[in-house]
Amino acid sequence: MGQVIDYAANPEKTDKSRSKYREADYQALRDVLRYAKDEEKTEREFFCQGINCNVITARDQFISVKEQFDKTDGIQAYHGYLSFKEQDITPELAQKIGMEFASEVWGKRYQVVVTTHLNTQHLHCHFVINSVSFVDGKRCRDTSWFKFYKTADRICEKYGLHYIEQPNRSKSSSYYRRLEQAGMPTPHNNIRDAIDYAIAHSHSLADFDYILTQLGYRHTLSESRKYWTIVPKGKTKAVRMKTLGEDYTNERILERIRENRGVILEPFHKPPPDKPRQYLLLTREDKIKKVGGIYGLYLLYCYKLGALPSYQKPNPAHLHYALRDDLMKLDALTAQVTLLSENSIVTDQQLFAYQHDLEDEMKALLADRTRLRNEIRKVNVTDETLSQAKQQISDITEKLRKLRKEVKLCKGIAERSGVIEGNLGQALASEQTRKEDPRYEHRR
């Protein structure tokens, strides 16, 4: 106890002016802990617990450990989370799993704050781990999910929760996925095609090696290598063939080559170079069409007018004749789209329900204003009461002005939606006719 008190009272460690921390470091650590313990997400910190530390004073305890081992520079803390797929899991169980996981992974050597956030559709645990161990002062190196994901899987399986049995560490980027969906070639697709072509013309691994070389690919098929690799054209970094899919592991490639034995194969001819082709990628218009409802109709109309995206200016020369008149009404269209977006109005029913609520609110405000006006007409009204009533009347009038404007927008949306639908129909029909022209043909 004496050592603890001496350490806690040590002026060299408690005097902030002598600390090696900058104010920004203190603030960064404070911010990440405050986010993890956000009362609006954790129900007043009911689901906040500390491992080897107290949640309330965790920041100061983190700093004390760093200063004790003279490691106040570099990364201050690690912040991670564990999200659950199930929507019926209780906060108590989520917090229990988070504590069990953190205790097993970091609990023996590090201070950890564990919280459960309840503010999203899927509950998720947050972990804030001190970057310096309170045991020996060594920095935390257990920060890669693939070092301890099996621990999380085992705990989730123990409580009957979903987990991914074989996570893919080589997921392609969203950019390459979009290219593949549009039928465009990607580095990995080109490699798969080359390997498939080489296998289809090979009776042995030597044939396979020769054909890949003739196709212009650098590769390694050594038996001493655990994974065979290949370098995409135009790149310098090799990729493991197994990351291309289940049919491209070492064993599966050999199996596919053995299946060709006894089969007469076409002789290998180096394929001609690919000709340039034109491709169609998903555009903003494709995303807008998925929105649907009256909101999607307005978004598509604004897009066709050129008002979306906002950074480009509409060009009347590129517009269909049915849309040009509405270029003069862009301000009104923008206000209507903003109303739909801010109030999450998608369907006609939601629009009419929102307009009805506005009109009910206006009726209540009008009744209040009438009552206040009657109050100030009384003979015995005091100056203070008169002043307060006039201020209230002024506030109500301002609210009524905004409500009337929104009601007018709702009525305008209801009236204009039919016109918009007709104009869009004409424009889209003309566009489809133009695309069907052989001179406009696109090849995928």
Side-chain angles (χ1 to χ4, degrees):
M1 182 65 71
Q3 292 178 351
V4 174
I5 295 175
D6 291 341
Y7 170 76
N10 187 346
E12 294 184 358
K13 300 183 180 296
T14 58
D15 186 1
K16 185 176 179 181
S17 63
R18 301 187 182 184
S19 173
K20 295 183 179 180
Y21 273 89
R22 296 176 294 112
E23 185 60 33
D25 297 330
Y26 282 95
Q27 184 61 40
L29 192 55
R30 182 187 301 113
D31 290 343
V32 72
L33 287 167
R34 183 185 295 117
Y35 173 79
K37 299 188 295 180
D38 191 340
E39 293 183 0
E40 294 182 0
K41 301 175 182 179
T42 59
E43 288 192 357
R44 299 188 181 277
E45 298 192 1
F46 180 73
F47 298 107
C48 296
Q49 291 177 279
I51 299 175
N52 304 316
C53 65
N54 186 303
V55 174
I56 299 175
T57 59
R59 170 181 163 272
D60 296 330
Q61 290 177 318
F62 280 23
I63 292 172
S64 296
V65 170
K66 297 175 190 298
E67 293 182 341
Q68 177 187 3
F69 293 100
D70 195 24
K71 292 187 177 181
T72 57
D73 57 339
I75 295 174
Q76 305 302 307
Y78 291 97
H79 180 200
Y81 65 92
L82 173 65
S83 183
F84 302 96
K85 182 178 181 181
E86 289 80 3
Q87 298 183 26
D88 56 349
I89 183 175
T90 63
E92 291 80 7
L93 179 57
Q95 180 70 10
K96 182 179 180 181
I97 292 174
M99 287 292 292
E100 190 171 332
F101 170 75
S103 297
E104 187 168 340
V105 175
W106 302 291
K108 294 181 180 179
R109 302 181 62 242
Y110 298 95
Q111 297 157 303
V112 189
V113 173
V114 182
T115 66
T116 299
H117 283 193
L118 321 175
N119 62 318
T120 60
Q121 188 177 10
H122 298 276
L123 299 187
H124 52 284
C125 296
H126 281 261
F127 310 102
V128 180
I129 307 102
N130 194 356
S131 59
V132 177
S133 170
F134 68 91
V135 176
D136 52 17
K138 291 185 178 180
R139 294 191 182 274
C140 181
R141 302 300 180 191
D142 298 327
T143 57
S144 172
W145 176 252
F146 283 93
K147 284 187 177 181
F148 44 73
Y149 76 89
K150 292 183 179 179
T151 303
D153 291 350
R154 174 167 43 78
I155 295 174
C156 288
E157 183 181 16
K158 171 184 173 182
Y159 291 97
L161 300 179
H162 169 82
Y163 66 95
I164 302 174
E165 295 186 9
Q166 294 181 344
N168 183 8
R169 297 186 62 176
S170 304
K171 294 181 179 178
S172 59
S173 68
S174 59
Y175 171 72
Y176 284 136
R177 285 200 299 273
R178 289 197 299 271
L179 293 183
E180 290 179 0
Q181 291 171 358
M184 296 181 68
T186 65
H188 281 192
N189 271 349
N190 291 339
I191 292 175
R192 292 189 191 98
D193 293 341
I195 292 176
D196 292 339
Y197 183 83
I199 291 175
H201 293 78
S202 302
H203 282 112
S204 65
L205 187 61
D207 294 342
F208 178 69
D209 184 14
Y210 170 77
I211 294 174
L212 278 183
T213 302
Q214 292 300 308
L215 293 176
Y217 285 94
R218 293 185 290 117
H219 54 281
T220 303
L221 305 177
S222 172
E223 295 182 357
S224 61
R225 299 286 294 272
K226 183 177 181 180
Y227 302 110
W228 291 345
T229 61
I230 187 169
V231 180
K233 289 184 178 180
K235 306 289 184 180
T236 57
K237 185 177 180 181
V239 298
R240 292 175 176 175
M241 293 186 184
K242 77 177 187 68
T243 63
L244 303 174
E246 296 179 356
D247 280 340
Y248 302 93
T249 61
N250 302 9
E251 296 78 12
R252 181 58 183 148
I253 289 175
L254 289 173
E255 183 180 343
R256 292 170 65 185
I257 293 174
R258 284 195 293 267
E259 291 173 357
N260 292 335
R261 293 178 180 175
V263 179
I264 299 177
L265 304 177
E266 294 183 4
F268 165 69
H269 297 290
K270 192 171 182 178
D274 292 334
K275 295 181 179 180
R277 303 175 67 183
Q278 189 174 6
Y279 297 93
L280 290 175
L281 285 174
L282 291 176
T283 64
R284 185 184 293 257
E285 181 179 354
D286 298 312
K287 297 179 180 179
I288 289 174
K289 287 180 178 178
K290 294 180 181 180
V291 176
I294 194 170
Y295 180 50
L297 177 69
Y298 262 79
L299 284 179
L300 181 59
Y301 197 63
C302 289
Y303 178 80
K304 289 297 185 183
L305 284 174
L308 286 177
S310 58
Y311 54 78
Q312 70 180 22
K313 295 181 179 180
N315 188 345
H318 295 166
L319 289 181
H320 189 269
Y321 70 89
L323 308 181
R324 292 176 184 171
D325 290 342
D326 279 341
L327 277 179
M328 296 179 290
K329 306 171 185 177
L330 277 181
D331 290 342
L333 284 169
T334 301
Q336 291 170 353
V337 171
T338 303
L339 175 71
L340 295 173
S341 175
E342 290 180 348
N343 297 283
S344 302
I345 298 173
V346 179
T347 64
D348 297 341
Q349 293 80 5
Q350 292 174 340
L351 176 66
F352 295 138
Y354 181 71
Q355 180 180 341
H356 181 71
D357 292 341
L358 291 176
E359 291 171 346
D360 287 345
E361 188 176 354
M362 286 174 59
K363 289 178 182 178
L365 289 173
L366 285 170
D368 290 341
R369 189 172 67 174
T370 302
R371 178 182 56 80
L372 290 169
R373 284 177 174 174
N374 292 334
E375 287 287 336
I376 64 176
R377 291 192 183 102
K378 293 180 180 180
V379 178
N380 58 348
V381 63
T382 63
D383 291 342
E384 183 179 357
T385 303
L386 180 63
S387 177
Q388 290 178 354
K390 286 184 176 181
Q391 182 60 43
Q392 292 176 359
I393 290 173
S394 177
D395 293 341
I396 290 175
T397 302
E398 180 63 22
K399 290 180 181 178
L400 284 170
R401 186 185 66 80
K402 294 180 180 179
L403 291 175
R404 287 193 183 100
K405 184 177 179 180
E406 291 196 4
V407 169
K408 183 179 179 180
L409 287 174
C410 291
K411 292 179 179 179
I413 292 171
E415 294 172 0
R416 190 185 295 270
S417 58
V419 177
I420 288 177
E421 196 167 0
N423 291 345
L424 267 180
Q426 294 183 48
L428 293 175
S430 299
E431 186 177 331
Q432 185 63 31
T433 303
R434 183 166 56 90
K435 287 183 177 181
E436 291 174 356
D437 190 325
R439 294 171 296 179
Y440 189 80
E441 181 180 359
H442 284 72
R443 292 186 300 165
R444 288 185 176 273

